[in-house]
Amino acid sequence: MAEAVDLKVVGTSPVRPDGVDKVTGRAAFGADLNLPGMLYGKVLRSPHAHARIKSVDVSRALAADGVLAAVSGADFPSDRLDDLARNVIARDKALYNGHAVAAVAAKTQQQAEAALELIDVDYEVLDPVLTLDEAMAAGATLVNESQHTNGDTSKPPSNIAVQQAFERGDVDKGFAEADVIVESEHRVPTAHQGYIEPHACTATMNAGGKATIWCCTQGHFDVRSLTAGVLGKSVGNIKVIPSEIGGGFGGKTIIYLEPLAVKLSELSGRPVKMMMTREEVFRATGPASATWCKVKVGAKKDGTFTAATAWLAYEAGAFPGAPIGPGCMSVLAPYDVPNLRIEGNDVLVTKPRVCAYRAPGAPQSMHAMECAIDELARKLDMDPIDIRLKNAADEGTQAPYGPTFPPIGLKKCLEAAKNHPNYLKPLAEGAGRGLAVGFWFNIGMQSSAEVRIAEDGMVTVMEGNPDIGGSRASMALMAAETLGVPYEQVKAHVGDTESTGFCNVTGGSRTTFATGMAVVQACEDIIAQCRQRAALTWDLDAEQVDWVDGEAVPKPGVNADVKPLSLANIARRAGRTGGPLLGRASLNAQGAGASFSVNWTDARVDTETGKTDILAFTAVQDAGRAIHPAYVEGQMQGGAVQGLGWALNEEYIYDERGALENPGFLDYRVPVASDMPMIDTQIVEVPNPSHPYGVRGVGETPIVAPLAALSNAVRDQLGFRINDLPLSPPRVLAALDEQG
Amino acid sequence: MAGYAYLAPTNVDEALGALEEAASVGQRAQMLAGGTDVLVQIRSVDKGPRTFVDVKHVEEANALSMTDDELFIGAAIASAVLNENARLKSILPGLVESADLIGSTQIQGRATIGGNLCNSSPAGDTIPALIACGAVCVIASPNGNREVATEDFVTGVGTNVLEPTEFLVGFKIPRPKGKTSDAYLRFIPRTEMDIAVCGAGVALTLDDDGTCTKAKVAIGAVAVTALPVPEAAAALVGTKVDDDALHAAAAASTAAAKPIDDKRGTVEFRKQVVGVLTRRAAAIARDRALAR
Ligand SMILES: Cc1cc2nc3c(=O)[nH]c(=O)nc-3n(C[C@H](O)[C@H](O)[C@H](O)COP(=O)(O)OP(=O)(O)OC[C@H]3O[C@@H](n4cnc5c(N)ncnc54)[C@H](O)[C@@H]3O)c2cc1C
């Protein structure tokens, strides 16, 4: 790992390369591509939350003005039918209101929309399954009649797809040793990522069966393989070109429109563009799970935890896959708890299939546990930071999910919080303060990068991770640092599936860590080549040449009367020393370091209306090392706002038949700028030993703690706890009335 | 887009002519002001073809004038323009603040109080404020102007007294005399860009020793149309608008509200909060009146 003192470029915050085009409206997003002869595709969506599809007849639509193609589930391969394929287009059953049932392509959007009304679908309407309680009750209507919990066919079918549990120590003994025990139940509603850019793509298939897709996605290599799977094609026949992306937060790690657009293009012989409306985004794309968590935690008088348990039930939507794994693994991750038991349930309901949303699964379970720990601290009359410091995991602590932590920054974050002026500042009259800890694992996975040096020494970095949070700037910073050149000399680009090597999705806070590591290695490859070229020029061995501050120089002690050779010097003469300079690296990154955070907020409830104002919010987080501190702060602030939005007002509201009543930003209330105070940030740096510059992913941890921080602040002011989210004014006022 | 035509008449007669012509051939014409409701609706709930008749160029609908007894506010004036008129703001602070609550800075550059009333949503923010300050709607008709009190203008959700050949020119508002002022408050879960869960407008007049001699209270988003609440006004008249009177007015608004349970709030919540808003708005109007 590079020494902090040596760093020249890493740790500065230059302007992002894509910034100018974005603020001047020139950047091309998913819906911005137009091709000659292009058609518009539209999707017919189920108006029922649960229905058997007896037949779909598109013939009247096909005959309509301007319509050149129409498809239903029957037009797609059925041999390798998996959940994703069924989610892209329904087959025998529609499993949520909004589930795609058929699609058309026509010359204009209006013609396509009109044609949808000519598609005849014969539904047998079934009872919806809309809540965890309903889904888990005995005799519940089954979302999938052939699903057995954990695949165990000796038991009757169930809406519980997966049940998992793990245990450590002796929980009963642990609780028996406790002086104080807190037990509570908390519900968190469905929340959408709320990315501003709706899903959109354009696809064209040529006569040879080769498809090209332009789309907004967090991972175009995933779009390629997933689309290939749904269509029964080889990945070699699909090229995916990512556009700029207007937010994803995990929601664009999956596909919805792409196979439909390719199929419609194949049938019509024309390019086909498909764009979701905001309503479609809400009705048909994957939000975060609604959850029900029961937690219990016990401690000695001095605050030492003796035992803790958590029981989690997460809505998966129409297909299995709620993030119960990470929900279970994160719930107690910040603490050293000798005795614990954690159980998770992945539960089907007739709602859209859930998808990743920043730290998937952690905000909900940790909300419950961090509320319980807050109560425990109150009962013990302990400061909320002190009780957490007492039990905080540190290097060498065995995580509840097995591994032993390498160096982690939780204690440093707690100590930083304790000394932070915002924590020392007295609370405003009548307000409440709440604190909570956040955590996310972060992931590594596969990445590739290529570094090319132009004849003037300009550096081009090519990699395959769509840039959501400013990663091109971070890649350029790491490349510039490694090569020893100024930031301005490096341009980072996101290549399509054919112009750059494979990269896993931009998700799991992995890009700056894993792809960054590949970029650093590709730069090291360039340096090795430059030393070779200089040696050749100077008639030395490569081992006799050093690379210092962006120049090849003879190693100390090597007797050679030569001038240093810069990257530009070497590149200009590359033809004479072996051809263009091209560095590469590919890897499966290991050792993604977990990132911990501490958040606290001051809030004030108007007790006559139930409305909560956020007065102040501070986020402290371990970034390992902040490559681009301003963008790290941006992640911390954005995550805080999303977490607060979830805690304040965001929720899906369904009618009794399972139709979403608030599929738009008027009634699905994300916070607006004026709802938020300045989100103060403090970056803590406990370098990750597995990354050349010490990076930990920072993108997901920030959304985790705000939910409980706000719950705890409201509890602090009101003197009683409201267990469930959101803390919307009607819920808070009803709770106040109940208290009398 | 297909099937849309656009006309920009410059005076009332031209505008009436455009409406009449469309009606005579059985075509739909629709007045267009800021378009901040219309543009949303033609993309979602109301897509059919029509001719738009833009009121923003109609001279009479852009007039803003004041005599000793009366103000006239043109229906087509953008709320940002009203809000920047310091004189108007000091005379009718409640009405101006209701227009200033609409949407955001960008929306207010286009949105009008005429459009807000003619859209006739139960949650329109300016409607309770217009009722409270006694605004009378001036309607251009083929047979000349007619006048309708604001509380009688809206007939249901999205419906009003206008005939297809009529449009709203503006509002006549009695000029506040002596210690008279108004206030409007609404409740939304956010700070802006939202729709009222409930709202309350109050206008009142105090005599020299601070006793309320006249009051008008109207509440919004708690019934099919904005509602005048004479019982709340009666609770204020004859008092010093003290805590007892304020609580009595609040209780009257709570009792008068006939809200529904929906995604924006429950019945209990709306009834309770509309009372709180009535009390708070009345206190603000009182303090403003005392300061005159
Ligand atoms: C983002 C956003 C936020 C909003 N926030 C709020 C809010 O906080 N509070 C609120 O109350 N509203 C809000 N609105 C709704 C809207 O902005 C207001 O109702 C606004 O006052 C409408 O005025 P307009 O001039 O834009 O009307 P338009 O959209 O032009 O017209 C509205 C209706 O009135 C009719 N009409 C307009 N002028 C006349 C006339 N002179 N004679 C006859 N008919 C006429 C039109 O035909 C149409 O039916 C919001 C809208 C948006 C898009």
Side-chain angles (χ1 to χ4, degrees):
Chain A
M1 201 185 66
E3 285 301 312
V5 284
D6 288 343
L7 298 177
K8 295 194 170 71
V9 197
V10 159
T12 63
S13 295
V15 166
R16 61 201 287 166
D18 47 315
V20 171
D21 279 351
K22 281 183 177 157
V23 299
T24 56
R26 203 158 265 160
F29 290 89
D32 288 333
L33 184 85
N34 293 305
L35 294 172
M38 187 178 79
L39 306 179
Y40 292 88
K42 276 273 152 201
V43 177
L44 180 72
R45 299 189 180 277
S46 170
H48 308 295
H50 195 191
R52 212 170 297 289
I53 300 174
K54 292 160 77 179
S55 67
V56 185
D57 181 356
V58 297
S59 54
R60 286 199 303 136
L62 259 178
D65 248 11
V67 176
L68 292 180
V71 294
S72 68
D75 295 290
F76 291 79
S78 58
D79 48 335
R80 285 190 296 163
L81 203 54
D82 60 7
D83 291 344
L84 176 75
R86 287 181 192 274
N87 195 41
V88 165
I89 190 155
R91 312 295 159 110
D92 46 341
K93 261 171 110 181
L95 293 171
Y96 52 93
N97 179 315
H99 198 165
V101 172
V104 299
K107 290 179 181 163
T108 68
Q109 288 215 65
Q110 287 82 355
Q111 287 171 329
E113 271 167 33
L116 293 182
E117 291 174 20
L118 302 174
I119 298 172
D120 300 303
V121 187
D122 188 5
Y123 293 104
E124 177 196 336
V125 179
L126 305 170
D127 286 336
V129 183
L130 295 172
T131 63
L132 287 164
D133 310 63
E134 255 179 73
M136 297 172 85
T141 298
L142 293 170
V143 179
N144 177 351
E145 295 81 355
S146 56
Q147 175 184 273
H148 300 262
T149 305
N150 296 343
D152 179 358
T153 48
S154 70
K155 304 240 170 70
S158 162
N159 287 322
I160 304 174
V162 181
Q163 213 160 39
Q164 56 171 238
F166 54 91
E167 238 178 299
R168 175 198 289 170
D170 182 339
V171 170
D172 294 336
K173 188 169 146 272
F175 282 123
E177 283 164 13
D179 294 315
V180 202
I181 295 176
V182 169
E183 197 171 357
S184 55
E185 269 185 50
H186 305 262
R187 292 182 192 250
V188 175
T190 309
H192 196 268
Q193 300 85 351
Y195 34 81
I196 294 301
E197 182 196 22
H199 298 259
C201 71
T202 300
T204 185
M205 187 187 271
N206 74 9
K210 168 98 193 237
T212 304
I213 301 168
W214 291 260
C215 62
C216 57
T217 174
Q218 291 179 240
H220 40 299
F221 289 94
D222 282 19
V223 172
R224 182 177 69 169
S225 60
L226 297 175
T227 305
V230 175
L231 294 172
K233 290 172 82 73
S234 119
V235 292
N237 276 330
I238 298 178
K239 172 180 180 177
V240 183
I241 304 173
S243 66
E244 291 292 341
I245 176 168
F249 311 106
K252 289 179 184 161
T253 54
I254 197 78
I255 56 166
Y256 299 100
L257 299 173
E258 290 79 2
L260 304 176
V262 171
K263 195 73 189 174
L264 290 167
S265 175
E266 179 183 355
L267 293 175
S268 64
R270 303 274 203 97
V272 175
K273 168 141 86 181
M274 301 186 81
M275 301 172 282
M276 284 197 194
T277 61
R278 180 63 57 190
E279 182 181 329
E280 288 180 285
V281 171
F282 275 109
R283 285 176 61 205
T285 70
S289 293
T291 60
W292 174 17
C293 300
K294 303 180 196 176
V295 293
K296 185 173 170 185
V297 54
K300 292 262 186 215
K301 281 204 183 73
D302 68 353
T304 309
F305 295 167
T306 58
T309 59
W311 175 94
L312 320 178
Y314 281 26
E315 286 186 9
F319 301 96
I324 51 163
C328 288
M329 294 195 295
S330 59
V331 64
L332 283 166
Y335 306 109
D336 190 358
V337 188
N339 306 294
L340 54 83
R341 184 175 59 238
I342 301 169
E343 181 190 324
N345 295 273
D346 182 7
V347 186
L348 298 195
V349 290
T350 54
K351 295 185 191 172
R353 183 190 197 194
V354 300
C355 194
Y357 181 17
R358 269 182 132 151
Q364 300 100 314
S365 64
M366 290 185 74
H367 166 259
M369 193 57 81
E370 290 295 304
C371 286
I373 291 171
D374 190 73
E375 287 301 330
L376 201 60
R378 287 174 184 283
K379 288 199 171 179
L380 292 167
D381 199 19
M382 273 181 92
D383 177 271
I385 294 182
D386 290 341
I387 193 168
R388 288 171 170 87
L389 266 173
K390 184 107 206 158
N391 297 284
D394 206 351
E395 182 173 3
T397 304
Q398 195 195 1
Y401 50 94
T404 299
F405 282 121
I408 50 172
L410 175 58
K411 281 197 166 159
K412 275 215 168 153
C413 288
L414 286 164
E415 280 153 11
K418 210 171 170 189
N419 295 314
H420 197 288
N422 290 357
Y423 195 72
L424 300 172
K425 191 154 61 185
L427 188 59
E429 176 78 30
R433 180 171 293 168
L435 177 136
V437 159
F439 159 84
W440 188 242
F441 313 85
N442 299 321
I443 56 171
M445 307 215 290
Q446 302 178 78
S447 283
S448 334
E450 227 181 76
V451 174
R452 306 162 184 169
I453 313 297
E455 57 272 30
D456 62 353
M458 282 300 296
V459 181
T460 298
V461 173
M462 282 297 281
E463 41 92 3
N465 276 110
D467 177 354
I468 306 188
S471 57
R472 277 167 293 193
S474 296
M475 297 302 147
L477 285 167
M478 284 183 276
E481 184 72 53
T482 308
L483 292 170
V485 302
Y487 169 75
E488 294 70 27
Q489 198 173 326
V490 185
K491 300 278 175 267
H493 298 277
V494 179
D496 61 56
T497 53
E498 291 184 357
S499 63
T500 190
F502 182 88
C503 285
N504 277 122
V505 69
T506 298
S509 302
R510 61 175 294 280
T511 300
T512 308
F513 171 70
T515 305
M517 199 187 284
V519 168
V520 170
Q521 289 184 10
C523 290
E524 284 165 351
D525 186 10
I526 289 286
I527 292 171
Q529 293 177 36
C530 285
R531 288 170 54 215
Q532 193 86 45
R533 308 292 178 105
L536 208 62
T537 310
W538 295 334
D539 210 11
L540 296 173
D541 281 344
E543 287 68 47
Q544 295 176 293
V545 179
D546 244 349
W547 187 259
V548 179
D549 289 342
E551 291 180 327
V553 292
K555 276 202 174 144
V558 174
N559 194 8
D561 183 18
V562 293
K563 279 198 194 141
L565 290 175
S566 69
L567 205 52
N569 296 144
I570 297 170
R572 202 173 305 120
R573 295 156 52 92
R576 280 192 253 163
T577 56
L581 290 166
L582 177 65
R584 339 170 232 255
S586 71
L587 47 77
N588 188 353
Q590 306 296 319
S595 175
F596 288 86
S597 68
V598 179
N599 291 179
W600 66 97
T601 183
D602 293 359
R604 188 188 278 120
V605 177
D606 178 338
T607 52
E608 289 185 332
T609 65
K611 184 177 174 183
T612 304
D613 285 333
I614 312 287
L615 307 177
F617 192 98
T618 311
V620 177
Q621 188 184 334
D622 175 18
R625 174 157 293 121
I627 299 298
H628 189 298
Y631 296 162
V632 170
E633 285 164 6
Q635 292 295 318
M636 291 163 74
Q637 293 170 324
V641 172
Q642 287 186 315
L644 288 171
W646 203 346
L648 281 171
N649 285 302
E650 291 182 40
E651 64 177 322
Y652 277 28
I653 303 168
Y654 284 96
D655 73 9
E656 70 285 355
R657 297 300 305 164
L660 185 60
E661 292 193 320
N662 56 339
F665 282 137
L666 179 57
D667 289 303
Y668 180 85
R669 296 189 168 94
V670 299
V672 296
S674 51
D675 292 344
M676 289 291 133
M678 180 65 190
I679 307 290
D680 290 323
T681 57
Q682 182 179 344
I683 299 172
V684 166
E685 295 190 319
V686 176
N688 174 8
S690 302
H691 185 275
Y693 292 112
V695 166
R696 295 174 193 276
V698 297
E700 292 170 284
T701 299
I703 199 177
V704 179
L707 283 69
L710 186 69
S711 283
N712 293 343
V714 169
R715 157 71 179 85
D716 189 42
Q717 177 192 336
L718 300 184
F720 65 92
R721 184 169 291 277
I722 303 171
N723 286 343
D724 300 343
L725 297 180
L727 295 168
S728 58
R731 167 169 284 136
V732 174
L733 197 61
L736 280 160
D737 283 348
E738 206 177 299
Q739 289 290 315
Chain B
M1 273 192 262
Y4 294 122
Y6 170 82
L7 297 174
T10 56
N11 58 46
V12 165
D13 289 343
E14 271 177 48
L16 285 174
L19 292 176
E20 254 181 300
E21 194 182 317
S24 69
V25 294
Q27 273 170 4
R28 178 171 176 203
Q30 185 179 17
M31 294 303 291
L32 176 74
T36 59
D37 278 314
V38 170
L39 263 66
V40 176
Q41 288 158 4
I42 61 175
R43 283 165 174 269
S44 52
V45 289
D46 181 20
K47 297 185 179 179
R50 77 203 73 169
T51 297
F52 286 114
V53 180
D54 192 345
V55 73
K56 286 252 179 184
H57 302 273
V58 172
E59 195 186 339
E60 299 88 327
N62 283 288
L64 183 64
S65 60
M66 206 178 319
T67 65
D68 284 349
D69 295 327
E70 197 171 78
L71 289 101
F72 180 85
I73 302 177
I77 302 175
S79 82
V81 174
L82 300 178
N83 195 43
E84 290 200 356
N85 187 323
R87 180 128 185 263
L88 183 69
K89 213 169 155 175
S90 76
I91 296 172
L92 287 169
L95 178 61
V96 175
E97 74 197 351
S98 76
D100 187 41
L101 284 175
I102 296 175
S104 59
T105 304
Q106 293 90 329
I107 295 292
Q108 286 164 23
R110 294 285 310 168
T112 65
I113 49 175
N116 196 242
L117 178 66
C118 294
N119 188 56
S120 303
S121 152
D125 274 310
T126 67
I127 306 175
L130 284 164
I131 294 174
C133 66
V136 172
C137 307
V138 180
I139 297 169
S141 256
N143 313 318
N145 283 356
R146 65 182 179 110
E147 295 183 1
V148 174
T150 309
E151 54 257 58
D152 300 327
F153 185 89
V154 180
T155 53
V157 177
T159 60
N160 56 46
V161 300
L162 291 177
E163 297 292 330
T165 52
E166 296 181 326
F167 73 99
L168 182 68
V169 184
F171 302 91
K172 280 186 184 169
I173 301 170
R175 183 163 178 177
K177 295 267 167 62
K179 290 188 182 306
T180 296
S181 198
D182 63 342
Y184 174 76
L185 291 175
R186 67 154 180 204
F187 183 83
I188 56 172
R190 294 183 282 198
T191 45
E192 58 180 349
M193 300 299 277
D194 217 323
I195 184 165
V197 177
C198 52
V202 176
L204 48 73
T205 303
L206 306 178
D207 66 15
D208 286 340
D209 54 86
T211 303
C212 179
T213 57
K214 222 174 111 191
K216 200 153 182 191
V217 175
I219 54 180
V222 286
V224 182
T225 64
L227 294 178
V229 191
E231 302 81 4
L236 300 173
V237 173
T239 74
K240 293 248 154 107
V241 196
D242 50 15
D243 277 358
D244 286 349
L246 291 171
H247 278 102
S253 280
T254 296
K258 293 188 272 293
I260 51 165
D261 262 330
D262 71 2
K263 59 196 172 191
R264 295 181 183 138
T266 56
V267 167
E268 304 75 55
F269 179 81
R270 286 182 147 137
K271 285 178 82 81
Q272 200 169 334
V273 175
V274 83
V276 172
L277 296 183
T278 300
R279 197 185 81 225
R280 291 180 180 178
I284 295 169
R286 174 200 63 200
D287 293 346
R288 284 175 176 164
L290 284 172
R292 287 201 188 261

